[in-house]
Structures are given as C-alpha cells and as structure tokens.
Amino acid sequence: MSVLRGGLLGTLAEQLQARRDQHAYRSLRVAESPCGPHQRLRAENGVVVERLAFCSNDYLGLAHHPALIDALAEGARRFGAGSGASHLINGHSRAHADLEDQLAQLMSPWVPEARALFFCTGYMANLALLTGLASAGDRSTTLFCEKLNHASLIDGAKLSGAQVQRYPHADTARLGALLAQSTAGLKIIVTDAVFSMDGCLAPLAELLALAETHDAWLVVDDAHGFGVLGPQGQGSLAELGLRSERLIYMGTLGKAAGVGGAFVAAHPLLIEWLINSARPYIYTTAAPPAVAFALQTSLDLITGPEGDARRTALRARITQLRSHLPAAVAGRGWRLLDSPTAIQPLVVGDNATALALTAALEAHGLWVPAIRPPTVPVGAARLRIALSAAHTEADVAHLVQVLHALHVLTGGAP
Ligand SMILES: *Cc1c(COP(=O)(O)O)cnc(C)c1O
C-alpha cells in the first residue's frame, strides 16, 4: 500500500466510497461509435453493447454529418492541426475571423451592430463574459442571476467578484423588486434562455423590459436554443423577436451546431473590452482553426434548407413524444414537464425510482440519464429525455412503448 494512503489518498478513497453509498458516484463510459441515436458503448465487463440513446445535445444530428467531417479535415489541411498560441499572440487565424464575421452577421438582427467573439467552450465563454463585464472600470457591479442557471454562469458569477443576487425561477416580480432596490453602478441580469434540466424557456421579453426600465444589461445563455429555435435556427431571441443593444448573447457550438466551441455576440465595444480584459479569453490557446473552419459549414447547414428540414423533424419527434408518453405512463404520478424544446424531462420523484428506471431502460437497450439532486430539487428526480432530429419515429415509439411496459409491470415503481 502506498505510504500516501494515510493522508490525501485515504481521504479521497473514503469520500468516493461515501458517494457510492449515496448513489452519487459518477463514472465515465466509453463510446465506441460517433454520437448518434444508436451508440456503441463499452460496458464495465468490457463487452461492447449498443444503446438507443436519448441523452445527447446533438439536437440536429449534425455531430457526425459527412459535410462537417469533410470540413474539419479540409480545415486541418489548410490551417494545420493546432492554433499554436492564444488569440492575442499568433493563434487567431483567418478561420476564426471568418467564423466570427459569420456569427456577427447572423445575430445582428437581434443584437444591433453585433460583433462576435469565438471561445473554445461555452464554459469558458461564460467565465470570460461575467468576469470581463464585472471588471469594467470602477463601477460597482451586481449580477442578478436566475436560480436555475447553468453551472458555468454560477461559476463565472463567483469568479467575477461582483455582488450576486439570485432570483427565484422565472420570478420577474421578484427580479423587478431587486432591481428597483439596487444602487449598483452596473446592473446585469443573467439567465439561461432554455433551462437545461427543465426544457422550458426563460421569460426573455419580460426580462428585457425590466432591463430597459432599470437601465440594466441582459446576458442570455442560449446553449440549448441556438441552431434549434427561431427562423434559420437563429436562437431564442429570434424565436421571440427580441432586439436590443442591451442584449449580450452567448451561444454554444458543441450542441446543435455539432462541433464545439461557443461565441458571445454583443456591441462591438463590449467585445473589444473582453479581448482586452477577460482572462479566460486571453490566457488560453485558441481552439484549432479547423474547428472554426468546420463551424462555418455547420452554420451554413443550420441556416439553410437542411437545417429547416432537421428542425421540422425534431419538432415532429417532440410532438410525438408529448402526445403519447403521458397516456402511456398515466396514473402513477410521473409527470412530463411542460417543455416545448428537445429537452423532455419525466419527473418521477425520488432518486431510487429514477435510478431504477434508468437501469430498467438500460436492460432494454435504452440510454436515458437519471438527473438527481442537487442538480434538480429534492423529490424531483427525473429522466432527462433529449430528442434529436436524428431520432426516427420508430426510435421515439420504442422509448414510449418500453416506458409503458415498465410502468405496467411495476405499477409505476420499478
Ligand atoms: C452546455 C452548456 C454550457 C457550456 O457549454 P460548453 O460548450 O459545453 O462548455 C453553458 N451553458 C448552458 C446553459 C449549457 O447547457
């Protein structure tokens, strides 16, 4: 046994065991095939199994699109494998610049005069954005953060050092009162556009009206809306027809866009400020230019006829699930949340039920993740069913049928 066992390693082993005991232990699964509805996985015993998966954020099924794979290869041939440095040194390539121009143009109907800035991931974009905004000059900054915000916004708010006020989910009256009381020099409302564990939309029109009334800015994280919602997949602002200089938009490019990365679209001065001040932007190597190159093809697909067809297919799957699942599992208190998006959570109650259900689905060759507290409230453990344009009608019918069979077999408590 290692001599270090008595110290840190011993403590870690104990804490990991405690997590196992509380059914809170996490482990990795190795996918042996590209992201898609039918995914091959390596099971713990080393055998490769195939699962019908309802868990990815690849909402349009672009992650293994041949045109994107070709574009990634072509990008590598033209620009090399790596960027070599951060954006401010020599890592900012033609591919990054062109992608940013394309994104700015796409968002400018909603964020007037928008300039866009590309990041390696959405997590880093949110850290950069919130720390950068809070460091703007000598103003005292308050961030008004929605309760259900994504972890990256929560972490960005913490790291920013700004004062943080959290408001209850979708409670615009409470937010209005907090804004009215605030004496901060700079007020910023921060929200997910589509909540990742509930699938519902934030009341963005009301939030923007509050921002206007109280001279605040509105940061919108559209990780689950960009590519999916609005005409041409332009996202949640387009879906609701919202346009304002007060909007600061963050979209991710590893979900519906099928590749990876993220961007912020905002007033050019704000983007210039981020380039000059945001440490998570400045002190990291630029993403491989091939990624930025492939993303230009992804945007072409998203905004073109193929994107329209894929969004139509996704909406059909959402309608199909919502019209058949509630009846199939009726009578035992499982509740399909009222979500218009690809995220369709089935709330089943306690952790044990959610875990047992996930295990039972797995035994039937299906992969639907159980989401438990603290990610969701205690007593609201759920299956997070994520639909994609790549799912067929038969895939969704199979999920409904297996859930129905489990429900009947077990009286609703597997
Ligand atoms: C996934 C997600 C992010 C992080 O984006 P990555 O590109 O995966 O780092 C940020 N915000 C929300 C709401 C998300 O769902």
Side-chain angles (χ1 to χ4, degrees), residues 121-123 126 150 152 192 196 221 223-224 250 252 255 261:
T121 71
Y123 186 91
N126 280 338
H150 188 259
S152 55
D192 282 18
S196 46
D221 173 341
H224 301 281
M250 198 289 288
T252 64
K255 290 173 178 161

PDB file of all heavy atoms in Angstrom, residues 121-123 126 150 152 192 196 221 223-224 250 252 255 261, ligand 1:
ATOM      1  N   THR A 121     -14.959  26.844 -25.486  1.00  0.00           N
ATOM      2  CA  THR A 121     -16.144  26.161 -24.932  1.00  0.00           C
ATOM      3  C   THR A 121     -17.100  27.199 -24.364  1.00  0.00           C
ATOM      4  O   THR A 121     -16.715  28.346 -24.090  1.00  0.00           O
ATOM      5  CB  THR A 121     -15.775  25.201 -23.763  1.00  0.00           C
ATOM      6  OG1 THR A 121     -15.410  25.984 -22.617  1.00  0.00           O
ATOM      7  CG2 THR A 121     -14.658  24.246 -24.113  1.00  0.00           C
ATOM      8  N   GLY A 122     -18.328  26.785 -24.152  1.00  0.00           N
ATOM      9  CA  GLY A 122     -19.322  27.647 -23.534  1.00  0.00           C
ATOM     10  C   GLY A 122     -18.971  27.952 -22.085  1.00  0.00           C
ATOM     11  O   GLY A 122     -19.228  29.053 -21.592  1.00  0.00           O
ATOM     12  N   TYR A 123     -18.381  26.969 -21.426  1.00  0.00           N
ATOM     13  CA  TYR A 123     -17.985  27.190 -20.032  1.00  0.00           C
ATOM     14  C   TYR A 123     -17.011  28.367 -19.956  1.00  0.00           C
ATOM     15  O   TYR A 123     -17.169  29.282 -19.148  1.00  0.00           O
ATOM     16  CB  TYR A 123     -17.349  25.903 -19.483  1.00  0.00           C
ATOM     17  CG  TYR A 123     -17.039  25.963 -18.009  1.00  0.00           C
ATOM     18  CD1 TYR A 123     -17.974  25.529 -17.073  1.00  0.00           C
ATOM     19  CD2 TYR A 123     -15.829  26.468 -17.548  1.00  0.00           C
ATOM     20  CE1 TYR A 123     -17.703  25.593 -15.717  1.00  0.00           C
ATOM     21  CE2 TYR A 123     -15.552  26.542 -16.203  1.00  0.00           C
ATOM     22  CZ  TYR A 123     -16.484  26.105 -15.283  1.00  0.00           C
ATOM     23  OH  TYR A 123     -16.218  26.177 -13.951  1.00  0.00           O
ATOM     24  N   ASN A 126     -18.645  31.805 -20.713  1.00  0.00           N
ATOM     25  CA  ASN A 126     -19.380  32.377 -19.580  1.00  0.00           C
ATOM     26  C   ASN A 126     -18.439  32.924 -18.510  1.00  0.00           C
ATOM     27  O   ASN A 126     -18.697  33.982 -17.928  1.00  0.00           O
ATOM     28  CB  ASN A 126     -20.348  31.351 -18.993  1.00  0.00           C
ATOM     29  CG  ASN A 126     -21.624  31.266 -19.818  1.00  0.00           C
ATOM     30  OD1 ASN A 126     -21.962  32.208 -20.549  1.00  0.00           O
ATOM     31  ND2 ASN A 126     -22.332  30.154 -19.719  1.00  0.00           N
ATOM     32  N   HIS A 150     -27.197  27.667 -15.479  1.00  0.00           N
ATOM     33  CA  HIS A 150     -26.169  26.641 -15.691  1.00  0.00           C
ATOM     34  C   HIS A 150     -24.944  26.880 -14.790  1.00  0.00           C
ATOM     35  O   HIS A 150     -24.619  28.018 -14.462  1.00  0.00           O
ATOM     36  CB  HIS A 150     -25.732  26.688 -17.158  1.00  0.00           C
ATOM     37  CG  HIS A 150     -24.833  25.568 -17.552  1.00  0.00           C
ATOM     38  ND1 HIS A 150     -23.462  25.708 -17.666  1.00  0.00           N
ATOM     39  CD2 HIS A 150     -25.101  24.275 -17.850  1.00  0.00           C
ATOM     40  CE1 HIS A 150     -22.935  24.557 -18.039  1.00  0.00           C
ATOM     41  NE2 HIS A 150     -23.901  23.669 -18.162  1.00  0.00           N
ATOM     42  N   SER A 152     -21.872  26.957 -15.351  1.00  0.00           N
ATOM     43  CA  SER A 152     -20.830  27.847 -15.865  1.00  0.00           C
ATOM     44  C   SER A 152     -21.163  29.314 -15.581  1.00  0.00           C
ATOM     45  O   SER A 152     -20.259  30.132 -15.370  1.00  0.00           O
ATOM     46  CB  SER A 152     -20.635  27.636 -17.369  1.00  0.00           C
ATOM     47  OG  SER A 152     -21.852  27.791 -18.057  1.00  0.00           O
ATOM     48  N   ASP A 192     -30.181  31.636 -18.358  1.00  0.00           N
ATOM     49  CA  ASP A 192     -30.275  30.663 -19.447  1.00  0.00           C
ATOM     50  C   ASP A 192     -31.507  31.036 -20.276  1.00  0.00           C
ATOM     51  O   ASP A 192     -32.502  31.492 -19.704  1.00  0.00           O
ATOM     52  CB  ASP A 192     -30.558  29.246 -18.905  1.00  0.00           C
ATOM     53  CG  ASP A 192     -29.334  28.545 -18.319  1.00  0.00           C
ATOM     54  OD1 ASP A 192     -28.344  29.218 -18.015  1.00  0.00           O
ATOM     55  OD2 ASP A 192     -29.409  27.315 -18.164  1.00  0.00           O
ATOM     56  N   SER A 196     -31.665  23.860 -18.795  1.00  0.00           N
ATOM     57  CA  SER A 196     -31.148  22.592 -19.293  1.00  0.00           C
ATOM     58  C   SER A 196     -31.753  21.368 -18.623  1.00  0.00           C
ATOM     59  O   SER A 196     -31.703  20.283 -19.190  1.00  0.00           O
ATOM     60  CB  SER A 196     -29.627  22.570 -19.184  1.00  0.00           C
ATOM     61  OG  SER A 196     -29.208  23.024 -17.925  1.00  0.00           O
ATOM     62  N   ASP A 221     -27.864  33.127 -22.126  1.00  0.00           N
ATOM     63  CA  ASP A 221     -27.097  31.925 -22.469  1.00  0.00           C
ATOM     64  C   ASP A 221     -28.027  30.996 -23.246  1.00  0.00           C
ATOM     65  O   ASP A 221     -28.941  30.401 -22.677  1.00  0.00           O
ATOM     66  CB  ASP A 221     -26.594  31.269 -21.177  1.00  0.00           C
ATOM     67  CG  ASP A 221     -25.919  29.917 -21.415  1.00  0.00           C
ATOM     68  OD1 ASP A 221     -26.129  29.310 -22.483  1.00  0.00           O
ATOM     69  OD2 ASP A 221     -25.203  29.462 -20.510  1.00  0.00           O
ATOM     70  N   ALA A 223     -27.431  28.144 -24.954  1.00  0.00           N
ATOM     71  CA  ALA A 223     -26.771  26.875 -25.288  1.00  0.00           C
ATOM     72  C   ALA A 223     -27.734  25.876 -25.938  1.00  0.00           C
ATOM     73  O   ALA A 223     -27.360  25.144 -26.851  1.00  0.00           O
ATOM     74  CB  ALA A 223     -26.143  26.261 -24.043  1.00  0.00           C
ATOM     75  N   HIS A 224     -28.979  25.845 -25.456  1.00  0.00           N
ATOM     76  CA  HIS A 224     -29.925  24.849 -25.972  1.00  0.00           C
ATOM     77  C   HIS A 224     -30.903  25.427 -26.991  1.00  0.00           C
ATOM     78  O   HIS A 224     -31.801  24.736 -27.455  1.00  0.00           O
ATOM     79  CB  HIS A 224     -30.707  24.216 -24.811  1.00  0.00           C
ATOM     80  CG  HIS A 224     -29.816  23.558 -23.816  1.00  0.00           C
ATOM     81  ND1 HIS A 224     -29.272  22.319 -24.017  1.00  0.00           N
ATOM     82  CD2 HIS A 224     -29.330  24.001 -22.631  1.00  0.00           C
ATOM     83  CE1 HIS A 224     -28.501  22.006 -22.982  1.00  0.00           C
ATOM     84  NE2 HIS A 224     -28.520  23.006 -22.135  1.00  0.00           N
ATOM     85  N   MET A 250     -24.916  34.688 -25.650  1.00  0.00           N
ATOM     86  CA  MET A 250     -23.905  33.629 -25.649  1.00  0.00           C
ATOM     87  C   MET A 250     -24.554  32.395 -26.269  1.00  0.00           C
ATOM     88  O   MET A 250     -25.617  31.969 -25.823  1.00  0.00           O
ATOM     89  CB  MET A 250     -23.470  33.337 -24.214  1.00  0.00           C
ATOM     90  CG  MET A 250     -22.148  32.598 -24.068  1.00  0.00           C
ATOM     91  SD  MET A 250     -22.123  30.868 -24.567  1.00  0.00           S
ATOM     92  CE  MET A 250     -23.073  30.138 -23.236  1.00  0.00           C
ATOM     93  N   THR A 252     -23.700  28.347 -27.808  1.00  0.00           N
ATOM     94  CA  THR A 252     -22.654  27.312 -27.850  1.00  0.00           C
ATOM     95  C   THR A 252     -22.703  26.588 -29.194  1.00  0.00           C
ATOM     96  O   THR A 252     -23.721  26.560 -29.878  1.00  0.00           O
ATOM     97  CB  THR A 252     -22.768  26.308 -26.687  1.00  0.00           C
ATOM     98  OG1 THR A 252     -23.987  25.599 -26.799  1.00  0.00           O
ATOM     99  CG2 THR A 252     -22.707  27.019 -25.347  1.00  0.00           C
ATOM    100  N   LYS A 255     -23.363  21.839 -29.269  1.00  0.00           N
ATOM    101  CA  LYS A 255     -24.659  21.171 -29.109  1.00  0.00           C
ATOM    102  C   LYS A 255     -25.311  21.071 -30.488  1.00  0.00           C
ATOM    103  O   LYS A 255     -24.885  20.266 -31.295  1.00  0.00           O
ATOM    104  CB  LYS A 255     -25.467  21.894 -28.041  1.00  0.00           C
ATOM    105  CG  LYS A 255     -24.835  21.638 -26.669  1.00  0.00           C
ATOM    106  CD  LYS A 255     -25.407  22.391 -25.518  1.00  0.00           C
ATOM    107  CE  LYS A 255     -24.665  21.961 -24.250  1.00  0.00           C
ATOM    108  NZ  LYS A 255     -24.804  22.893 -23.149  1.00  0.00           N
ATOM    109  N   GLY A 261     -17.164  24.555 -29.138  1.00  0.00           N
ATOM    110  CA  GLY A 261     -16.865  25.972 -29.012  1.00  0.00           C
ATOM    111  C   GLY A 261     -18.110  26.762 -28.654  1.00  0.00           C
ATOM    112  O   GLY A 261     -19.172  26.180 -28.380  1.00  0.00           O
TER     113      GLY A 261
HETATM  114  C1  LIG B   1     -23.636  23.144 -22.115  1.00  0.00           C
HETATM  115  C2  LIG B   1     -23.915  24.483 -21.540  1.00  0.00           C
HETATM  116  C3  LIG B   1     -22.888  25.417 -21.354  1.00  0.00           C
HETATM  117  C4  LIG B   1     -21.444  25.076 -21.585  1.00  0.00           C
HETATM  118  O1  LIG B   1     -21.154  24.945 -22.918  1.00  0.00           O
HETATM  119  P1  LIG B   1     -19.929  24.006 -23.368  1.00  0.00           P
HETATM  120  O2  LIG B   1     -19.626  24.423 -24.738  1.00  0.00           O
HETATM  121  O3  LIG B   1     -20.431  22.605 -23.229  1.00  0.00           O
HETATM  122  O4  LIG B   1     -18.806  24.277 -22.397  1.00  0.00           O
HETATM  123  C5  LIG B   1     -23.216  26.677 -20.904  1.00  0.00           C
HETATM  124  N1  LIG B   1     -24.496  26.988 -20.612  1.00  0.00           N
HETATM  125  C6  LIG B   1     -25.505  26.105 -20.735  1.00  0.00           C
HETATM  126  C7  LIG B   1     -26.891  26.511 -20.395  1.00  0.00           C
HETATM  127  C8  LIG B   1     -25.241  24.815 -21.187  1.00  0.00           C
HETATM  128  O5  LIG B   1     -26.224  23.926 -21.296  1.00  0.00           O
END
